[in-house]
Amino acid sequence: MASTGYYIHRDFWKHEMGRGHPECPQRLDAIEDRLLVTGVADALDRRDDMPLATLAQITRAHSAAHLEHLEALHQRLVADEGVGGPEHAQVDPDTALNRGTLLAARRAAGAAIAATDAVARGELANAFCAVRPPGHHACREQAMGFCFLNNVAIAARHALDEHGFSRVAVVDFDVHHGNGTEDILSGDPRVLMTGIFQHPFYPFSGTEHPAENMANVPVPAYTKGMDVREVFDMVCLPRLESFRPQMIFVSAGFDAHREDELGQLGLNENDYAWITERIRDVARRHAKGRIVSLLEGGYHLDALARSVETHVRVLADL
């Protein structure tokens, strides 16, 4: 039987945004250690050799001008390195490139594409991509919110254009609204995007006249796991069922965990297991089980590692 793929690459460690930044390489160390010590890693098909996303693949979701802007920032950092130039180029107050960022971002998008190919072809049952930098805030024309290239939007468009699917879904359970994914995929009838997020909260979007293919579910701060399950059951799942996706992509952010200080929601590992089980069940009914999950947020290292383990256990039927 096909197994669960686990996509990881050393390039993801090369991106960092400065001392003390929550979106740090240690996030992947925590995940790797947890999967190893629990034995979950032994049950996964580890894949750590994937190509960089190409310009043609990236521009399914972003403009060429956006990629050119990132490349110009990267080249300026490289050119100034020998004369004691800065280590980072600031994109917004919370988001910065270093000399490894663009490589990591293109590799992360490449991992999303490689996982999509393997799952679409039946080589893998499903996949989890432990990628950095995350992607769901990256808009068609703008990097923001720790994100540079929108991995899930690039992968979803790749599935539609290269594998002949006519309906794919994106489920986003990060504490923050995936405004970049909505910006790119809004109005595309081939895609349904749904998920929960804290509101009002950064990036203060997702509630103003969303397109018909957007099933956003804002929830207030301090909402606990059982209430999140209820709204997921009442809104997200019926939309997924009626849409009948042929492949499901997950923006898997774990910063809605009650121990994560970057958000104020109250989820725990059992809630992530429940949500993943529901997504898996929809995928089995309509998409031959095809799921590609991509890491987004999650900044309390221990809570992140435990939550990823739980999420992957469900995907792998462990």
Side-chain angles (χ1 to χ4, degrees):
M1 292 180 62
S3 57
T4 293
Y6 174 59
Y7 285 76
I8 190 83
H9 197 282
R10 293 309 305 178
D11 284 347
F12 302 154
W13 274 262
K14 295 177 180 178
H15 163 66
E16 56 82 22
M17 293 188 282
R19 185 183 298 274
H21 198 289
E23 206 295 280
C24 58
Q26 289 75 26
R27 298 175 66 225
L28 297 186
D29 293 329
I31 292 170
E32 288 269 82
D33 290 348
R34 182 74 184 186
L35 296 181
L36 182 64
V37 75
T38 58
V40 172
D42 295 334
L44 305 177
D45 187 337
R46 183 183 180 96
R47 301 197 172 193
D48 52 12
D49 182 19
M50 71 286 298
L52 299 173
T54 66
L55 176 63
Q57 292 166 337
I58 293 168
T59 53
R60 289 192 176 106
H62 297 282
S63 69
H66 172 67
L67 194 57
E68 289 166 4
H69 175 63
L70 295 179
E71 181 65 34
L73 292 174
H74 169 75
Q75 292 298 337
R76 194 177 310 154
L77 285 174
V78 171
D80 291 346
E81 182 175 14
V83 293
E87 291 294 318
H88 300 91
Q90 212 69 31
V91 173
D92 66 30
D94 301 313
T95 310
L97 289 88
N98 75 336
R99 294 177 185 90
T101 297
L102 194 53
L103 176 65
R106 287 187 60 194
R107 190 76 69 186
I113 290 165
T116 299
D117 288 340
V119 172
R121 293 168 183 156
E123 299 167 14
L124 295 170
N126 52 48
F128 175 74
C129 302
V131 294
R132 295 185 59 251
H136 74 153
H137 294 310
C139 300
R140 177 171 173 78
E141 303 279 355
Q142 182 181 4
M144 61 180 289
F146 310 169
C147 302
F148 302 88
L149 299 178
N150 196 307
N151 304 313
V152 74
I154 291 168
R157 285 274 171 79
H158 179 78
L160 292 164
D161 293 350
E162 295 296 326
H163 293 283
F165 296 126
S166 56
R167 297 181 309 280
V168 303
V170 174
V171 182
D172 188 328
F173 53 73
D174 193 278
V175 76
H176 305 98
H177 173 237
N179 64 302
T181 311
E182 179 162 337
D183 175 63
I184 294 165
L185 300 178
S186 180
D188 187 338
R190 304 172 300 169
V191 184
L192 169 70
M193 180 181 176
T194 189
I196 61 99
F197 55 91
Q198 182 178 325
H199 186 81
F201 198 43
Y202 181 89
F204 306 101
S205 59
T207 59
E208 297 298 318
H209 310 296
E212 290 185 5
N213 67 319
M214 298 287 136
N216 301 332
V217 188
V219 298
Y222 308 110
T223 302
K224 296 194 181 333
M226 292 306 295
D227 294 322
V228 167
R229 295 190 198 193
E230 183 177 358
V231 297
F232 198 88
D233 228 354
M234 293 176 62
V235 180
C236 302
L237 290 176
R239 286 296 300 270
L240 286 167
E241 287 289 350
S242 62
F243 187 67
R244 296 179 294 113
Q246 296 162 305
M247 192 165 189
I248 298 178
F249 295 89
V250 181
S251 273
F254 299 98
D255 41 6
H257 196 285
R258 63 188 179 190
E259 295 175 31
D260 199 307
E261 295 182 354
L262 259 69
Q264 291 86 42
L265 295 186
L267 276 63
N268 60 30
E269 294 92 310
N270 290 333
D271 299 313
Y272 288 122
W274 184 91
I275 292 170
T276 309
E277 287 165 359
R278 297 305 174 276
I279 296 170
R280 180 200 62 193
D281 292 346
V282 173
R284 286 177 174 174
R285 281 192 290 274
H286 302 294
K288 299 182 179 179
R290 292 183 286 246
I291 298 171
V292 172
S293 178
L294 299 153
L295 181 64
E296 300 284 2
Y299 306 103
H300 184 289
L301 297 183
D302 190 49
L304 168 65
R306 299 194 315 266
S307 300
V308 169
E309 178 208 346
T310 299
H311 178 64
V312 171
R313 279 186 181 276
V314 174
L315 292 178
D317 282 327
L318 299 179

